[in-house]
Amino acid sequence: MDYDLIIIGGGPAGSAAGVYAARKKVKSVLITEEFGGQSVVSPDVQNFIGIPHLPGTEIAKRFKEHLETYKDDVLEIKEGDRVKSVKEVDGGFEVKAEDGQSYRARAVLVATGGHRRKLKVDGADRLDGKGVVYCASCDAPLFGGMKTVVVGGGNAGFEAAQQLLEYSPEVTLLDVADEFKADPATVENVQKSDKFTGITGATIKEIKGDKFVESVVYEKDGEEHELEVKGVFVEIGSIPNSDIVKDLVDVTDYGEIVIDHKTARTSKEGIWAAGDVTDVPYKQNNISMGDGVKALEDIYIWLTKNK
């Protein structure tokens, strides 16, 4: 085997595991497209313990710097590449990347996180990139002076609304649930603005527009309503990036990798998983980092016993 461990992913779970792997002298390679995970697009992360405010890009930078500091000759970092397959081989596993390289190791930690869930209503696909947006931090400034809608009442939805309030004269947040799921402090802060309107129990039915978004149709209490807007910012959760191992390990109906929450082990001996790609009930940076460390601790014990 080329390595003892292959870590797939450079978000909070993968980066934390990488730091601990280097410290414990576990010969490893960490493969990631980019560092930071899903928070990299957030301009203001406020729940990163010990740091009240931190841009997502800064989180990514610090993850990489921390790994570079400790890697020595034990940890290799392969940035800018995506893993396309994981296969069981004699003595361990073979991981193939899109650049054609293959890596072999006795153990694998899957920390691939998730990706944005797309809105599935009439007009959403056709107007994707033409007013339908999945990254507020990227595109909010483009909607200066325009009315906008945010779809989703979790933390990501309210963070998007907060960004849009800097540019948009009216921001309406629509949530299908009966109450917002975002942190109460975040909800309270956004609701202070007289430019913001939050509506619960609202189901998006259609996004209208010829070349660009012109309006959103939603249903509430059996009645349809139409809002004239130019931008629809979608924040309805993420889908776990588990396809590379779905034929090797057990996954939930939602595609989350099923793990033992004490050890982070999957149903396949030699494969661990941590972070948002798993069935952990709470998807948070802090939790993912802890889960990455927990996984590495168990991997270290397993590798030691199975020399």
Side-chain angles (χ1 to χ4, degrees), residues 173-229:
L173 186 146
L174 303 176
D175 189 10
V176 68
D178 292 330
E179 59 182 40
F180 299 128
K181 299 179 289 295
D183 295 334
T186 302
V187 175
E188 182 180 357
N189 186 49
V190 173
Q191 287 180 329
K192 290 178 181 177
S193 173
D194 57 8
K195 297 192 297 180
F196 174 81
T197 301
I199 302 174
T200 57
T203 302
I204 307 294
K205 306 298 289 185
E206 183 182 1
I207 299 175
K208 294 183 177 181
D210 183 11
K211 295 182 178 180
F212 296 95
V213 169
E214 295 173 7
S215 67
V216 170
V217 178
Y218 71 93
E219 182 180 298
K220 179 176 172 63
D221 298 330
E223 295 185 8
E224 284 196 354
H225 306 266
E226 187 168 354
L227 290 172
E228 292 185 3
V229 297

Side-chain angles (χ1 to χ4, degrees), residues 47-108:
N47 60 350
F48 203 81
I49 301 302
I51 305 173
H53 297 273
L54 191 69
T57 52
E58 181 64 21
I59 288 177
K61 178 183 175 183
R62 294 190 185 195
F63 284 171
K64 184 176 179 179
E65 287 178 347
H66 202 162
L67 286 162
E68 292 281 359
T69 300
Y70 286 144
K71 69 176 186 178
D72 198 21
D73 60 350
V74 177
L75 173 69
E76 289 185 42
I77 299 172
K78 303 291 184 180
E79 184 182 5
D81 203 3
R82 179 199 292 265
V83 169
K84 67 177 185 179
S85 68
V86 179
K87 181 175 68 175
E88 190 173 12
V89 295
D90 186 34
F93 301 91
E94 181 180 62
V95 171
K96 290 188 177 180
E98 289 188 345
D99 70 353
Q101 291 193 64
S102 295
Y103 309 86
R104 289 194 171 202
R106 295 159 58 199
V108 173

Side-chain angles (χ1 to χ4, degrees), residues 15-179:
S15 296
V19 169
Y20 270 66
R23 297 281 285 181
K24 289 180 176 293
K25 303 299 182 184
V26 175
K27 186 172 176 55
S28 309
V29 58
L30 186 151
I31 308 168
T32 185
E33 279 192 272
E34 63 178 357
F35 286 98
Q38 294 182 75
S39 290
V40 75
V41 299
S42 178
D44 188 21
V45 177
Q46 299 181 6
N47 60 350
F48 203 81
I49 301 302
I51 305 173
H53 297 273
L54 191 69
T57 52
E58 181 64 21
I59 288 177
K61 178 183 175 183
R62 294 190 185 195
F63 284 171
K64 184 176 179 179
E65 287 178 347
H66 202 162
L67 286 162
E68 292 281 359
T69 300
Y70 286 144
K71 69 176 186 178
D72 198 21
D73 60 350
V74 177
L75 173 69
E76 289 185 42
I77 299 172
K78 303 291 184 180
E79 184 182 5
D81 203 3
R82 179 199 292 265
V83 169
K84 67 177 185 179
S85 68
V86 179
K87 181 175 68 175
E88 190 173 12
V89 295
D90 186 34
F93 301 91
E94 181 180 62
V95 171
K96 290 188 177 180
E98 289 188 345
D99 70 353
Q101 291 193 64
S102 295
Y103 309 86
R104 289 194 171 202
R106 295 159 58 199
V108 173
L109 171 60
V110 182
T112 45
H115 60 277
R116 300 293 180 102
R117 187 182 299 277
K118 295 284 187 171
L119 184 62
K120 300 296 184 182
V121 299
D122 288 345
D125 286 343
R126 181 172 58 83
L127 295 169
D128 193 342
K130 301 174 183 177
V132 175
V133 180
Y134 291 88
C135 179
S137 62
C138 307
D139 295 334
L142 302 177
F143 290 82
M146 305 178 193
K147 296 178 182 179
T148 56
V149 158
V150 175
V151 182
N155 284 327
F158 273 86
E159 287 173 6
Q162 194 166 33
Q163 295 172 58
L164 284 165
L165 287 169
E166 298 292 327
Y167 308 97
S168 179
E170 290 184 26
V171 178
T172 303
L173 186 146
L174 303 176
D175 189 10
V176 68
D178 292 330
E179 59 182 40

